[in-house]
Amino acid sequence: MSRMVGTVSRGLRAPIIRSGDDLVEIVTNSVLEAAADADDGFSIRDRDVVAVTEAIVARSQGNYATVDNIAADVRAKLGGGTVGVVFPILSRNRFAICLRGIAKGAEKIVLQLSYPSDEVGNHLVSLDDLDGHGVDPYRDVLTLEQYRQMFGYEKHTFTGVDYVDYYQELIRDSGAQVEVVFANDPRAILGYTKDVLCCDIHTRARTKRLLKAAGGQRVLGLDDIMTAPIDGSGYNEKYCLLGSNKSTEDQV
């Protein structure tokens, strides 16, 4: 008889991970104890995969960076003047603390948001609203004033946050001026500044390529920030700020 059950995925509970913990031992024991559980146990087979999140790896390593660490690296690599921040995701946990550090490392942030949603599907406006106002997201570049006139103060469906307003205030509170523009062509940012931080994840290589070919001078991505320790901070040579998570209000 042919095999009828496909891939089975389980979430396992483990102890709270702290800096210096032996992650290999904790993960191994957690899997073995879960498998042996009298009520919810399971068999461990060849080719099974155990996955752990990047967050608990960073915690066990004590791999943290502060807002000031990020600011120092951004200032050194992008000059500390006007910095274009292109295509960030809309997230309080995944990007907001990074944005605070970026803003502290610049005099002004020009924030370019993709629309109607970010790259992971968090919506600013609906497609119906775009249609109703005759907006073509592939071609049209909107100022903040145009965006507000057409769409008002939209809040995220699940979080209840107006991310446009939230990111603006966060940047101002970090000591930088802010200007917001809505466009899906990354090259729109070059009308404001030639120093750009590409904050998209999956499309970052293409975004960098387009900007450099169009005359961008200092064009970096989140994978270029925190490549080395700043004042003894944590870092990652390959992924850098990609995949970082909020630890505290001042640290990722």
Side-chain angles (χ1 to χ4, degrees), residues 6-247:
T7 301
V8 176
S9 176
R10 294 181 174 86
L12 303 184
R13 293 184 176 181
I16 295 173
I17 308 298
R18 296 179 174 86
S19 179
D21 284 349
D22 187 332
L23 194 59
V24 173
E25 180 180 6
I26 291 173
V27 171
T28 301
N29 290 341
S30 296
V31 171
L32 293 176
E33 290 172 12
D37 187 273
D39 297 320
D40 301 312
F42 52 87
S43 298
I44 300 176
R45 304 179 181 181
D46 289 343
R47 300 172 65 188
D48 282 355
V49 175
V50 177
V52 298
T53 67
E54 69 272 19
I56 66 169
V57 174
R59 286 179 184 174
S60 67
Q61 294 174 338
N63 196 1
Y64 295 97
T66 67
V67 165
D68 288 336
N69 297 147
I70 296 169
D73 206 23
V74 168
R75 191 179 300 111
K77 291 175 177 175
L78 288 166
T82 298
V83 174
V85 173
V86 176
F87 300 157
I89 62 171
L90 307 174
S91 172
R92 291 170 292 179
N93 292 327
R94 302 289 289 189
F95 188 72
I97 307 304
C98 293
L99 182 57
R100 284 188 60 202
I102 296 164
K104 286 192 73 171
E107 292 180 3
K108 180 178 179 179
I109 296 296
V110 180
L111 182 66
Q112 181 174 326
L113 299 175
S114 58
Y115 73 99
S117 65
D118 67 14
E119 68 172 307
V120 296
N122 293 311
H123 274 73
L124 287 173
V125 296
S126 71
L127 289 172
D128 289 337
D129 284 338
L130 294 183
D131 293 340
H133 288 90
V135 175
D136 182 349
Y138 297 102
R139 296 173 180 262
D140 295 340
V141 177
L142 306 178
T143 65
L144 178 61
E145 291 72 24
Q146 291 170 322
Y147 173 86
R148 291 300 192 197
Q149 287 173 3
M150 287 187 280
F151 308 117
Y153 289 78
E154 291 284 338
K155 293 185 178 180
H156 189 277
T157 304
F158 300 111
T159 64
V161 174
D162 177 343
Y163 277 97
V164 178
D165 188 59
Y166 175 60
Y167 278 2
Q168 277 188 287
E169 291 305 311
L170 187 152
I171 292 167
R172 291 194 186 103
D173 289 346
S174 300
Q177 302 173 52
V178 59
E179 185 170 356
V180 183
V181 61
F182 302 82
N184 289 310
D185 185 339
R187 291 167 292 194
I189 198 69
L190 298 178
Y192 301 86
T193 179
K194 306 297 182 185
D195 298 325
V196 184
L197 185 61
C198 306
C199 296
D200 46 346
I201 301 166
H202 306 293
T203 55
R204 65 187 185 277
R206 177 177 183 267
T207 301
K208 291 181 188 179
R209 173 174 56 81
L210 289 174
L211 287 169
K212 290 176 181 178
Q217 294 177 357
R218 287 178 281 200
V219 178
L220 303 177
L222 291 177
D223 53 343
D224 298 307
I225 304 299
M226 301 306 302
T227 57
I230 303 293
D231 297 328
S233 72
Y235 71 101
N236 187 288
E237 292 180 350
K238 183 176 182 181
Y239 297 108
C240 311
L241 284 182
L242 287 177
S244 61
N245 270 305
K246 175 181 178 179
S247 173

